[in-house]
Amino acid sequence: MQLVNDRWYVLYSHILVGLALFCLVFSLGGMYVPSLEPLAVKAGFSIVIAVLSGALLLFRILAFPFMVRRYGRMAAVMMLNLIFTLILITFIHTTGKLHSLYHIGWGLTVLANGMFGPYVIVGYAALTTIYLLLIITDVPGKVNFDPVSLLGVLFIYIVGVIGYFIWKRAYASGESAKIAQLSGALKSKELQSEILLQSIADGVIVVDNNNMITIINPAAALMTGWSPQEALGINANDVVLLRLEDGKDLDANKNPFTQVAEQKQQVSQVLQIASRDGNTKIVSVIVSPVILPQSANTIGYIAVLRDVSAARAEEAKRAEFISTASHEMRTPVAAIEGYLALAMNDKVSNIDNKARGFLEKAHTSTQHLGKLFQDLLTSAKAEDGRLVSHPVVVDIGEFLDQVTESLRFSAEKKGLLIDYMVGASPGADSNAVGNKVVRPLYYVYADPDRLREVITNLFDNAVKYTETGKITIGLTGNNDVVQVFVKDTGPGIPAADVPHLFQKFYRVDSTATRTIGGTGLGLFICKMIIELYQGRIWAESEVGKGSTFYINLPRLSSQKASELLLKQSQSSTPVNTLTTPLV
């Protein structure tokens, strides 16, 4: 550990190198320049001084950088100082011993060595004392006591004490400044964090691994009806009373605090929160684990609650307006479409070819407008939970077989091939599968009309954007999941667009999409329908290699399917569905 700032060690090392260089030059000059020899001998410069000075310079050039990297600058400078100490001892011993003027240099060295700590100063004082004892007893049987030598030793002791206090003061003041600065920074950061936490409009709640609240800001306290002082140390599930958005009770395993504790990853939901006084709000709840970066251990969880009641109300109003407008506009559009159809009927009216061409274009545009209104109405119903659904047991294999046959004409009309594959992945060879394998019974619980709407939408998109090649509809699965895929050999979708495909009104910006047109609602509706049955839909695509859309639905076991079919048969309400007998 360095005791003082780096600049002191750097400065001292430069001084030592400069003195060693001077000693080397003057020693060599005394040996090879006759006019300098008397002065050099008198001053103590010799071959020994030259060797030691050269050793110090070589160490500084060769070993010093390595020691700085490996052991630190202080250790490296101490090695330089040790070699310089040998140089000083040589000078002192050859120029009068303790009467030498170089004893002043020894004292300055002791003073400077305080930067290495008090133990180094004590070591120099002890070395001086030992040298004194050797000098006064160098004649056997006789003590050659010299008061001047004693004064020299006392001088070193006094310089050592002064050096200790000088460097101690410098070291202590520097460390104190650092500690004070660090303390101020910590207090400042703590104050900043507290100000931000108190000022943020979103509710923030921090809980430990036992789900006990450790921090709650005023916004969260207002939402829950608990004061921050009351909520601390209370279980989060007792303070944050969450329900489903429609007010129904939330299953314990669906609670975001429970889910994040089990999954150890962020959980996001839109739920209803009830305060202690009975007021309710719709909130977006995001709960994330708090993980220590060093150990990757979870030390708690942080929840952010944002009031989205106003936004939800606005969305409901917009959805209601779109639903009402779409429903009302469908009637006149249907009437226009009917009159145009009558106008083009040769048995009803006589028109020339030019007028027929205009009417056909008007009829196509009217159909497109009617599809737009239908999509708007369906998406509005899907968002606010009014989408009509009559789920029943469906054998997906038989269902897809019939759907594929009904869609075959539209693909072949464009010159495209169509394949139906069972029990294979999208990359498999269709000639090796299909009807040559025993088709397993894949049962799901869903509305076949809604599923047909999804498959048809995906198939129509594939046909629209594929100029040559084929469309493949596939079915596979395992004990838990039934997977349906629709694969095309079209131009593919850029990677940046794939994550946004199922957003409302999102359309890939390309020449093909601008030419073909569309509402941007089809895939959004598909997503809402599939999620209605606890399923998942996604796309994988590569530009130039086509696209594949996947649908995963929960698979029913044969036993569960039989039970549901029995209930359906006992129901008094007839249901139009596509099912097959169980075997």
Side-chain angles (χ1 to χ4, degrees), residues 64-87:
F64 187 85
F66 169 76
M67 286 201 66
V68 170
R69 291 193 300 269
R70 186 69 180 270
Y71 303 106
R73 188 172 297 277
M74 188 179 84
V77 176
M78 285 183 71
M79 285 300 298
L80 280 179
N81 186 69
L82 179 62
I83 301 174
F84 185 75
T85 300
L86 296 176
I87 295 174

mmCIF file of all heavy atoms in Angstrom, residues 64-87:
data_model
loop_
_atom_site.group_PDB
_atom_site.id
_atom_site.type_symbol
_atom_site.label_atom_id
_atom_site.label_comp_id
_atom_site.label_asym_id
_atom_site.label_seq_id
_atom_site.Cartn_x
_atom_site.Cartn_y
_atom_site.Cartn_z
ATOM 1 N N PHE A 64 13.026 -1.720 -12.883
ATOM 2 C CA PHE A 64 12.097 -0.807 -12.217
ATOM 3 C C PHE A 64 10.672 -0.874 -12.792
ATOM 4 O O PHE A 64 9.701 -0.984 -12.029
ATOM 5 C CB PHE A 64 12.658 0.620 -12.296
ATOM 6 C CG PHE A 64 11.883 1.630 -11.503
ATOM 7 C CD1 PHE A 64 12.137 1.826 -10.156
ATOM 8 C CD2 PHE A 64 10.876 2.376 -12.097
ATOM 9 C CE1 PHE A 64 11.414 2.759 -9.423
ATOM 10 C CE2 PHE A 64 10.156 3.310 -11.384
ATOM 11 C CZ PHE A 64 10.426 3.491 -10.034
ATOM 12 N N PRO A 65 10.487 -0.821 -14.129
ATOM 13 C CA PRO A 65 9.111 -0.871 -14.676
ATOM 14 C C PRO A 65 8.373 -2.149 -14.286
ATOM 15 O O PRO A 65 7.178 -2.121 -13.995
ATOM 16 C CB PRO A 65 9.332 -0.789 -16.190
ATOM 17 C CG PRO A 65 10.667 -0.128 -16.347
ATOM 18 C CD PRO A 65 11.479 -0.623 -15.194
ATOM 19 N N PHE A 66 9.097 -3.287 -14.300
ATOM 20 C CA PHE A 66 8.457 -4.554 -13.917
ATOM 21 C C PHE A 66 7.992 -4.516 -12.461
ATOM 22 O O PHE A 66 6.884 -4.964 -12.144
ATOM 23 C CB PHE A 66 9.449 -5.701 -14.127
ATOM 24 C CG PHE A 66 9.004 -6.999 -13.522
ATOM 25 C CD1 PHE A 66 8.025 -7.764 -14.134
ATOM 26 C CD2 PHE A 66 9.537 -7.439 -12.317
ATOM 27 C CE1 PHE A 66 7.596 -8.957 -13.570
ATOM 28 C CE2 PHE A 66 9.122 -8.634 -11.749
ATOM 29 C CZ PHE A 66 8.151 -9.396 -12.387
ATOM 30 N N MET A 67 8.838 -3.999 -11.577
ATOM 31 C CA MET A 67 8.468 -3.940 -10.158
ATOM 32 C C MET A 67 7.275 -3.016 -9.930
ATOM 33 O O MET A 67 6.435 -3.281 -9.066
ATOM 34 C CB MET A 67 9.664 -3.486 -9.319
ATOM 35 C CG MET A 67 10.747 -4.534 -9.148
ATOM 36 S SD MET A 67 11.804 -4.195 -7.723
ATOM 37 C CE MET A 67 10.676 -4.387 -6.356
ATOM 38 N N VAL A 68 7.224 -1.934 -10.678
ATOM 39 C CA VAL A 68 6.072 -1.027 -10.538
ATOM 40 C C VAL A 68 4.779 -1.754 -10.881
ATOM 41 O O VAL A 68 3.768 -1.653 -10.172
ATOM 42 C CB VAL A 68 6.252 0.225 -11.425
ATOM 43 C CG1 VAL A 68 4.968 1.041 -11.466
ATOM 44 C CG2 VAL A 68 7.409 1.068 -10.917
ATOM 45 N N ARG A 69 4.805 -2.524 -11.997
ATOM 46 C CA ARG A 69 3.598 -3.257 -12.408
ATOM 47 C C ARG A 69 3.250 -4.371 -11.439
ATOM 48 O O ARG A 69 2.073 -4.629 -11.171
ATOM 49 C CB ARG A 69 3.791 -3.828 -13.810
ATOM 50 C CG ARG A 69 3.841 -2.801 -14.920
ATOM 51 C CD ARG A 69 3.709 -3.460 -16.287
ATOM 52 N NE ARG A 69 4.782 -4.418 -16.517
ATOM 53 C CZ ARG A 69 5.942 -4.133 -17.097
ATOM 54 N NH1 ARG A 69 6.186 -2.881 -17.484
ATOM 55 N NH2 ARG A 69 6.858 -5.066 -17.277
ATOM 56 N N ARG A 70 4.280 -5.072 -10.935
ATOM 57 C CA ARG A 70 4.043 -6.261 -10.126
ATOM 58 C C ARG A 70 3.797 -5.929 -8.649
ATOM 59 O O ARG A 70 2.904 -6.500 -8.020
ATOM 60 C CB ARG A 70 5.240 -7.197 -10.258
ATOM 61 C CG ARG A 70 5.061 -8.538 -9.575
ATOM 62 C CD ARG A 70 4.021 -9.381 -10.281
ATOM 63 N NE ARG A 70 3.852 -10.660 -9.628
ATOM 64 C CZ ARG A 70 4.551 -11.754 -9.935
ATOM 65 N NH1 ARG A 70 5.485 -11.699 -10.880
ATOM 66 N NH2 ARG A 70 4.325 -12.886 -9.320
ATOM 67 N N TYR A 71 4.611 -5.005 -8.083
ATOM 68 C CA TYR A 71 4.553 -4.776 -6.638
ATOM 69 C C TYR A 71 4.154 -3.357 -6.254
ATOM 70 O O TYR A 71 3.989 -3.072 -5.067
ATOM 71 C CB TYR A 71 5.917 -5.095 -6.013
ATOM 72 C CG TYR A 71 6.385 -6.502 -6.290
ATOM 73 C CD1 TYR A 71 7.408 -6.749 -7.199
ATOM 74 C CD2 TYR A 71 5.793 -7.579 -5.653
ATOM 75 C CE1 TYR A 71 7.843 -8.043 -7.457
ATOM 76 C CE2 TYR A 71 6.220 -8.876 -5.902
ATOM 77 C CZ TYR A 71 7.232 -9.106 -6.806
ATOM 78 O OH TYR A 71 7.652 -10.382 -7.058
ATOM 79 N N GLY A 72 4.065 -2.467 -7.227
ATOM 80 C CA GLY A 72 3.683 -1.100 -6.905
ATOM 81 C C GLY A 72 4.879 -0.168 -6.942
ATOM 82 O O GLY A 72 6.044 -0.579 -6.822
ATOM 83 N N ARG A 73 4.617 1.137 -7.080
ATOM 84 C CA ARG A 73 5.691 2.116 -7.220
ATOM 85 C C ARG A 73 6.512 2.253 -5.939
ATOM 86 O O ARG A 73 7.727 2.445 -5.985
ATOM 87 C CB ARG A 73 5.105 3.463 -7.636
ATOM 88 C CG ARG A 73 6.165 4.503 -8.001
ATOM 89 C CD ARG A 73 5.529 5.741 -8.575
ATOM 90 N NE ARG A 73 4.845 5.440 -9.816
ATOM 91 C CZ ARG A 73 5.451 5.363 -11.011
ATOM 92 N NH1 ARG A 73 6.766 5.543 -11.093
ATOM 93 N NH2 ARG A 73 4.762 5.104 -12.093
ATOM 94 N N MET A 74 5.872 2.172 -4.776
ATOM 95 C CA MET A 74 6.607 2.354 -3.535
ATOM 96 C C MET A 74 7.691 1.292 -3.375
ATOM 97 O O MET A 74 8.845 1.583 -3.006
ATOM 98 C CB MET A 74 5.663 2.310 -2.332
ATOM 99 C CG MET A 74 6.334 2.691 -1.019
ATOM 100 S SD MET A 74 5.236 2.684 0.404
ATOM 101 C CE MET A 74 5.265 0.957 0.850
ATOM 102 N N ALA A 75 7.361 0.032 -3.686
ATOM 103 C CA ALA A 75 8.342 -1.055 -3.561
ATOM 104 C C ALA A 75 9.500 -0.850 -4.527
ATOM 105 O O ALA A 75 10.677 -1.088 -4.181
ATOM 106 C CB ALA A 75 7.665 -2.393 -3.814
ATOM 107 N N ALA A 76 9.199 -0.396 -5.744
ATOM 108 C CA ALA A 76 10.256 -0.186 -6.734
ATOM 109 C C ALA A 76 11.200 0.936 -6.296
ATOM 110 O O ALA A 76 12.435 0.821 -6.434
ATOM 111 C CB ALA A 76 9.632 0.136 -8.089
ATOM 112 N N VAL A 77 10.633 2.030 -5.769
ATOM 113 C CA VAL A 77 11.471 3.150 -5.332
ATOM 114 C C VAL A 77 12.296 2.753 -4.111
ATOM 115 O O VAL A 77 13.448 3.194 -3.944
ATOM 116 C CB VAL A 77 10.592 4.390 -5.039
ATOM 117 C CG1 VAL A 77 11.442 5.537 -4.486
ATOM 118 C CG2 VAL A 77 9.872 4.838 -6.300
ATOM 119 N N MET A 78 11.748 1.895 -3.249
ATOM 120 C CA MET A 78 12.522 1.429 -2.084
ATOM 121 C C MET A 78 13.750 0.648 -2.519
ATOM 122 O O MET A 78 14.814 0.719 -1.876
ATOM 123 C CB MET A 78 11.637 0.559 -1.180
ATOM 124 C CG MET A 78 10.647 1.358 -0.358
ATOM 125 S SD MET A 78 9.683 0.327 0.770
ATOM 126 C CE MET A 78 10.920 -0.117 1.970
ATOM 127 N N MET A 79 13.668 -0.107 -3.619
ATOM 128 C CA MET A 79 14.838 -0.830 -4.119
ATOM 129 C C MET A 79 15.896 0.146 -4.629
ATOM 130 O O MET A 79 17.096 -0.029 -4.391
ATOM 131 C CB MET A 79 14.418 -1.788 -5.239
ATOM 132 C CG MET A 79 13.700 -3.027 -4.741
ATOM 133 S SD MET A 79 14.721 -4.005 -3.597
ATOM 134 C CE MET A 79 16.086 -4.447 -4.660
ATOM 135 N N LEU A 80 15.452 1.202 -5.343
ATOM 136 C CA LEU A 80 16.393 2.242 -5.755
ATOM 137 C C LEU A 80 17.064 2.867 -4.537
ATOM 138 O O LEU A 80 18.287 3.105 -4.510
ATOM 139 C CB LEU A 80 15.657 3.342 -6.545
ATOM 140 C CG LEU A 80 15.346 3.100 -8.016
ATOM 141 C CD1 LEU A 80 14.592 4.295 -8.582
ATOM 142 C CD2 LEU A 80 16.606 2.848 -8.817
ATOM 143 N N ASN A 81 16.255 3.131 -3.508
ATOM 144 C CA ASN A 81 16.754 3.762 -2.288
ATOM 145 C C ASN A 81 17.781 2.875 -1.574
ATOM 146 O O ASN A 81 18.763 3.363 -1.003
ATOM 147 C CB ASN A 81 15.572 4.055 -1.370
ATOM 148 C CG ASN A 81 15.974 4.835 -0.133
ATOM 149 O OD1 ASN A 81 16.333 6.007 -0.221
ATOM 150 N ND2 ASN A 81 15.932 4.183 1.015
ATOM 151 N N LEU A 82 17.574 1.551 -1.642
ATOM 152 C CA LEU A 82 18.516 0.624 -1.002
ATOM 153 C C LEU A 82 19.887 0.683 -1.669
ATOM 154 O O LEU A 82 20.935 0.706 -0.990
ATOM 155 C CB LEU A 82 17.950 -0.799 -1.060
ATOM 156 C CG LEU A 82 18.827 -1.894 -0.441
ATOM 157 C CD1 LEU A 82 19.042 -1.634 1.049
ATOM 158 C CD2 LEU A 82 18.192 -3.268 -0.662
ATOM 159 N N ILE A 83 19.914 0.716 -2.993
ATOM 160 C CA ILE A 83 21.194 0.804 -3.712
ATOM 161 C C ILE A 83 21.871 2.143 -3.408
ATOM 162 O O ILE A 83 23.096 2.208 -3.193
ATOM 163 C CB ILE A 83 20.968 0.648 -5.231
ATOM 164 C CG1 ILE A 83 20.303 -0.705 -5.532
ATOM 165 C CG2 ILE A 83 22.280 0.777 -5.988
ATOM 166 C CD1 ILE A 83 19.913 -0.894 -6.979
ATOM 167 N N PHE A 84 21.057 3.219 -3.352
ATOM 168 C CA PHE A 84 21.639 4.535 -3.054
ATOM 169 C C PHE A 84 22.199 4.569 -1.626
ATOM 170 O O PHE A 84 23.206 5.250 -1.348
ATOM 171 C CB PHE A 84 20.578 5.623 -3.241
ATOM 172 C CG PHE A 84 21.120 7.014 -3.080
ATOM 173 C CD1 PHE A 84 21.898 7.601 -4.067
ATOM 174 C CD2 PHE A 84 20.868 7.742 -1.914
ATOM 175 C CE1 PHE A 84 22.410 8.885 -3.907
ATOM 176 C CE2 PHE A 84 21.369 9.015 -1.753
ATOM 177 C CZ PHE A 84 22.143 9.590 -2.755
ATOM 178 N N THR A 85 21.548 3.837 -0.720
ATOM 179 C CA THR A 85 22.060 3.754 0.659
ATOM 180 C C THR A 85 23.454 3.140 0.687
ATOM 181 O O THR A 85 24.344 3.590 1.430
ATOM 182 C CB THR A 85 21.090 2.920 1.523
ATOM 183 O OG1 THR A 85 19.811 3.546 1.526
ATOM 184 C CG2 THR A 85 21.590 2.801 2.951
ATOM 185 N N LEU A 86 23.691 2.108 -0.123
ATOM 186 C CA LEU A 86 25.024 1.510 -0.211
ATOM 187 C C LEU A 86 26.050 2.515 -0.738
ATOM 188 O O LEU A 86 27.214 2.543 -0.286
ATOM 189 C CB LEU A 86 24.985 0.274 -1.117
ATOM 190 C CG LEU A 86 24.122 -0.897 -0.618
ATOM 191 C CD1 LEU A 86 24.103 -2.007 -1.660
ATOM 192 C CD2 LEU A 86 24.653 -1.417 0.720
ATOM 193 N N ILE A 87 25.619 3.338 -1.692
ATOM 194 C CA ILE A 87 26.520 4.380 -2.218
ATOM 195 C C ILE A 87 26.899 5.359 -1.108
ATOM 196 O O ILE A 87 28.083 5.718 -0.927
ATOM 197 C CB ILE A 87 25.855 5.117 -3.398
ATOM 198 C CG1 ILE A 87 25.649 4.170 -4.574
ATOM 199 C CG2 ILE A 87 26.698 6.319 -3.830
ATOM 200 C CD1 ILE A 87 24.872 4.768 -5.732
#
